[in-house]
Amino acid sequence: LAFAHGSMSVEIYTPKATDIQTPHDQDELYFIHSGQGELVIAGERHSFAPGMVFFVAAHVEHRFENFSDDLSFESLTL
């Protein structure tokens, strides 16, 4: 955990091989710092690269797939 205040938190992730995320109770923003791959949100695939930002609503299935070994992203939970 990089930062937390009230219900907001910021975390930096560097998943290896498999993203094991499950739906969250809060909305999230994902800021891609490095790497490439796909973010699957509610069954829809989105290609990503550094500098991109994604919104995932609370309780929505999502996961990173087919990502490069250097994937690093920041998660802002709202």
mmCIF file of all heavy atoms in Angstrom, residues 46-66:
data_model
loop_
_atom_site.group_PDB
_atom_site.id
_atom_site.type_symbol
_atom_site.label_atom_id
_atom_site.label_comp_id
_atom_site.label_asym_id
_atom_site.label_seq_id
_atom_site.Cartn_x
_atom_site.Cartn_y
_atom_site.Cartn_z
ATOM 1 N N HIS A 46 -9.258 -5.022 -23.614
ATOM 2 C CA HIS A 46 -8.690 -3.715 -23.934
ATOM 3 C C HIS A 46 -7.175 -3.855 -23.946
ATOM 4 O O HIS A 46 -6.587 -4.206 -22.922
ATOM 5 C CB HIS A 46 -9.081 -2.681 -22.878
ATOM 6 C CG HIS A 46 -10.548 -2.568 -22.655
ATOM 7 N ND1 HIS A 46 -11.347 -1.730 -23.401
ATOM 8 C CD2 HIS A 46 -11.364 -3.217 -21.785
ATOM 9 C CE1 HIS A 46 -12.593 -1.846 -22.986
ATOM 10 N NE2 HIS A 46 -12.624 -2.743 -22.013
ATOM 11 N N SER A 47 -6.542 -3.586 -25.081
ATOM 12 C CA SER A 47 -5.078 -3.597 -25.143
ATOM 13 C C SER A 47 -4.564 -2.393 -24.365
ATOM 14 O O SER A 47 -5.193 -1.338 -24.365
ATOM 15 C CB SER A 47 -4.605 -3.505 -26.589
ATOM 16 O OG SER A 47 -4.980 -4.667 -27.290
ATOM 17 N N PHE A 48 -3.428 -2.572 -23.685
ATOM 18 C CA PHE A 48 -2.868 -1.457 -22.945
ATOM 19 C C PHE A 48 -1.376 -1.317 -23.182
ATOM 20 O O PHE A 48 -0.700 -2.263 -23.584
ATOM 21 C CB PHE A 48 -3.161 -1.566 -21.441
ATOM 22 C CG PHE A 48 -2.479 -2.718 -20.749
ATOM 23 C CD1 PHE A 48 -1.146 -2.646 -20.366
ATOM 24 C CD2 PHE A 48 -3.176 -3.879 -20.471
ATOM 25 C CE1 PHE A 48 -0.528 -3.708 -19.722
ATOM 26 C CE2 PHE A 48 -2.571 -4.940 -19.820
ATOM 27 C CZ PHE A 48 -1.231 -4.850 -19.446
ATOM 28 N N ALA A 49 -0.890 -0.109 -22.933
ATOM 29 C CA ALA A 49 0.524 0.252 -23.035
ATOM 30 C C ALA A 49 0.788 1.338 -21.993
ATOM 31 O O ALA A 49 -0.158 1.909 -21.438
ATOM 32 C CB ALA A 49 0.838 0.754 -24.443
ATOM 33 N N PRO A 50 2.042 1.637 -21.711
ATOM 34 C CA PRO A 50 2.356 2.669 -20.725
ATOM 35 C C PRO A 50 1.654 4.000 -21.026
ATOM 36 O O PRO A 50 1.512 4.396 -22.181
ATOM 37 C CB PRO A 50 3.875 2.819 -20.837
ATOM 38 C CG PRO A 50 4.339 1.476 -21.279
ATOM 39 C CD PRO A 50 3.268 1.014 -22.244
ATOM 40 N N GLY A 51 1.202 4.646 -19.958
ATOM 41 C CA GLY A 51 0.528 5.936 -20.074
ATOM 42 C C GLY A 51 -0.985 5.839 -20.151
ATOM 43 O O GLY A 51 -1.665 6.857 -20.038
ATOM 44 N N MET A 52 -1.520 4.649 -20.319
ATOM 45 C CA MET A 52 -2.979 4.496 -20.416
ATOM 46 C C MET A 52 -3.594 4.401 -19.025
ATOM 47 O O MET A 52 -2.950 3.985 -18.067
ATOM 48 C CB MET A 52 -3.325 3.269 -21.260
ATOM 49 C CG MET A 52 -2.829 3.378 -22.688
ATOM 50 S SD MET A 52 -3.247 1.940 -23.698
ATOM 51 C CE MET A 52 -4.951 2.324 -24.068
ATOM 52 N N VAL A 53 -4.871 4.791 -18.941
ATOM 53 C CA VAL A 53 -5.630 4.761 -17.686
ATOM 54 C C VAL A 53 -6.959 4.060 -17.958
ATOM 55 O O VAL A 53 -7.591 4.302 -18.988
ATOM 56 C CB VAL A 53 -5.895 6.190 -17.164
ATOM 57 C CG1 VAL A 53 -6.734 6.156 -15.906
ATOM 58 C CG2 VAL A 53 -4.597 6.929 -16.927
ATOM 59 N N PHE A 54 -7.385 3.201 -17.018
ATOM 60 C CA PHE A 54 -8.653 2.481 -17.150
ATOM 61 C C PHE A 54 -9.485 2.648 -15.886
ATOM 62 O O PHE A 54 -8.947 2.664 -14.780
ATOM 63 C CB PHE A 54 -8.403 0.976 -17.359
ATOM 64 C CG PHE A 54 -7.744 0.650 -18.660
ATOM 65 C CD1 PHE A 54 -6.363 0.579 -18.755
ATOM 66 C CD2 PHE A 54 -8.503 0.421 -19.793
ATOM 67 C CE1 PHE A 54 -5.740 0.284 -19.943
ATOM 68 C CE2 PHE A 54 -7.892 0.119 -20.998
ATOM 69 C CZ PHE A 54 -6.509 0.052 -21.075
ATOM 70 N N PHE A 55 -10.795 2.737 -16.063
ATOM 71 C CA PHE A 55 -11.736 2.773 -14.950
ATOM 72 C C PHE A 55 -12.436 1.422 -14.861
ATOM 73 O O PHE A 55 -12.889 0.887 -15.872
ATOM 74 C CB PHE A 55 -12.795 3.866 -15.170
ATOM 75 C CG PHE A 55 -13.897 3.824 -14.155
ATOM 76 C CD1 PHE A 55 -13.705 4.367 -12.898
ATOM 77 C CD2 PHE A 55 -15.117 3.236 -14.453
ATOM 78 C CE1 PHE A 55 -14.720 4.326 -11.942
ATOM 79 C CE2 PHE A 55 -16.127 3.190 -13.518
ATOM 80 C CZ PHE A 55 -15.931 3.742 -12.254
ATOM 81 N N VAL A 56 -12.529 0.873 -13.647
ATOM 82 C CA VAL A 56 -13.276 -0.365 -13.406
ATOM 83 C C VAL A 56 -14.242 -0.089 -12.259
ATOM 84 O O VAL A 56 -13.823 0.271 -11.158
ATOM 85 C CB VAL A 56 -12.342 -1.543 -13.047
ATOM 86 C CG1 VAL A 56 -13.162 -2.796 -12.763
ATOM 87 C CG2 VAL A 56 -11.340 -1.809 -14.166
ATOM 88 N N ALA A 57 -15.524 -0.235 -12.540
ATOM 89 C CA ALA A 57 -16.549 0.010 -11.521
ATOM 90 C C ALA A 57 -16.526 -1.084 -10.454
ATOM 91 O O ALA A 57 -16.060 -2.206 -10.701
ATOM 92 C CB ALA A 57 -17.926 0.069 -12.176
ATOM 93 N N ALA A 58 -17.030 -0.750 -9.301
ATOM 94 C CA ALA A 58 -17.123 -1.707 -8.197
ATOM 95 C C ALA A 58 -17.894 -2.949 -8.632
ATOM 96 O O ALA A 58 -18.841 -2.856 -9.426
ATOM 97 C CB ALA A 58 -17.815 -1.057 -7.007
ATOM 98 N N HIS A 59 -17.477 -4.102 -8.133
ATOM 99 C CA HIS A 59 -18.143 -5.394 -8.331
ATOM 100 C C HIS A 59 -18.081 -5.933 -9.769
ATOM 101 O O HIS A 59 -18.794 -6.874 -10.094
ATOM 102 C CB HIS A 59 -19.597 -5.345 -7.852
ATOM 103 C CG HIS A 59 -19.733 -4.827 -6.456
ATOM 104 N ND1 HIS A 59 -19.344 -5.542 -5.351
ATOM 105 C CD2 HIS A 59 -20.177 -3.636 -5.993
ATOM 106 C CE1 HIS A 59 -19.561 -4.828 -4.263
ATOM 107 N NE2 HIS A 59 -20.051 -3.661 -4.617
ATOM 108 N N VAL A 60 -17.237 -5.356 -10.621
ATOM 109 C CA VAL A 60 -17.116 -5.808 -12.009
ATOM 110 C C VAL A 60 -15.900 -6.734 -12.131
ATOM 111 O O VAL A 60 -14.813 -6.411 -11.654
ATOM 112 C CB VAL A 60 -16.970 -4.604 -12.971
ATOM 113 C CG1 VAL A 60 -16.646 -5.074 -14.380
ATOM 114 C CG2 VAL A 60 -18.242 -3.768 -12.963
ATOM 115 N N GLU A 61 -16.089 -7.890 -12.773
ATOM 116 C CA GLU A 61 -14.994 -8.827 -13.019
ATOM 117 C C GLU A 61 -13.953 -8.151 -13.913
ATOM 118 O O GLU A 61 -14.301 -7.515 -14.911
ATOM 119 C CB GLU A 61 -15.508 -10.072 -13.752
ATOM 120 C CG GLU A 61 -16.300 -11.019 -12.901
ATOM 121 C CD GLU A 61 -15.414 -11.983 -12.130
ATOM 122 O OE1 GLU A 61 -14.243 -12.188 -12.510
ATOM 123 O OE2 GLU A 61 -15.916 -12.535 -11.143
ATOM 124 N N HIS A 62 -12.679 -8.290 -13.548
ATOM 125 C CA HIS A 62 -11.598 -7.739 -14.352
ATOM 126 C C HIS A 62 -10.296 -8.453 -14.017
ATOM 127 O O HIS A 62 -10.144 -8.980 -12.923
ATOM 128 C CB HIS A 62 -11.460 -6.229 -14.125
ATOM 129 C CG HIS A 62 -11.105 -5.864 -12.720
ATOM 130 N ND1 HIS A 62 -12.008 -5.942 -11.684
ATOM 131 C CD2 HIS A 62 -9.953 -5.435 -12.178
ATOM 132 C CE1 HIS A 62 -11.430 -5.572 -10.565
ATOM 133 N NE2 HIS A 62 -10.172 -5.260 -10.829
ATOM 134 N N ARG A 63 -9.373 -8.456 -14.997
ATOM 135 C CA ARG A 63 -8.066 -9.068 -14.782
ATOM 136 C C ARG A 63 -7.147 -8.675 -15.936
ATOM 137 O O ARG A 63 -7.595 -8.377 -17.042
ATOM 138 C CB ARG A 63 -8.170 -10.585 -14.678
ATOM 139 C CG ARG A 63 -8.567 -11.267 -15.966
ATOM 140 C CD ARG A 63 -8.951 -12.719 -15.756
ATOM 141 N NE ARG A 63 -9.653 -13.222 -16.921
ATOM 142 C CZ ARG A 63 -10.910 -12.982 -17.229
ATOM 143 N NH1 ARG A 63 -11.641 -12.220 -16.455
ATOM 144 N NH2 ARG A 63 -11.465 -13.480 -18.314
ATOM 145 N N PHE A 64 -5.865 -8.669 -15.644
ATOM 146 C CA PHE A 64 -4.850 -8.433 -16.659
ATOM 147 C C PHE A 64 -4.454 -9.777 -17.247
ATOM 148 O O PHE A 64 -4.230 -10.736 -16.515
ATOM 149 C CB PHE A 64 -3.632 -7.738 -16.034
ATOM 150 C CG PHE A 64 -3.885 -6.297 -15.691
ATOM 151 C CD1 PHE A 64 -4.469 -5.948 -14.479
ATOM 152 C CD2 PHE A 64 -3.548 -5.294 -16.580
ATOM 153 C CE1 PHE A 64 -4.699 -4.622 -14.159
ATOM 154 C CE2 PHE A 64 -3.778 -3.956 -16.277
ATOM 155 C CZ PHE A 64 -4.361 -3.624 -15.064
ATOM 156 N N GLU A 65 -4.372 -9.851 -18.578
ATOM 157 C CA GLU A 65 -4.006 -11.090 -19.268
ATOM 158 C C GLU A 65 -2.970 -10.798 -20.346
ATOM 159 O O GLU A 65 -2.874 -9.674 -20.834
ATOM 160 C CB GLU A 65 -5.232 -11.737 -19.923
ATOM 161 C CG GLU A 65 -6.243 -12.276 -18.946
ATOM 162 C CD GLU A 65 -7.356 -13.058 -19.634
ATOM 163 O OE1 GLU A 65 -7.486 -12.987 -20.877
ATOM 164 O OE2 GLU A 65 -8.095 -13.736 -18.915
ATOM 165 N N ASN A 66 -2.240 -11.840 -20.733
ATOM 166 C CA ASN A 66 -1.272 -11.762 -21.832
ATOM 167 C C ASN A 66 -0.334 -10.572 -21.666
ATOM 168 O O ASN A 66 -0.004 -9.900 -22.636
ATOM 169 C CB ASN A 66 -1.989 -11.686 -23.182
ATOM 170 C CG ASN A 66 -2.961 -12.827 -23.371
ATOM 171 O OD1 ASN A 66 -2.641 -13.969 -23.088
ATOM 172 N ND2 ASN A 66 -4.163 -12.520 -23.825
#
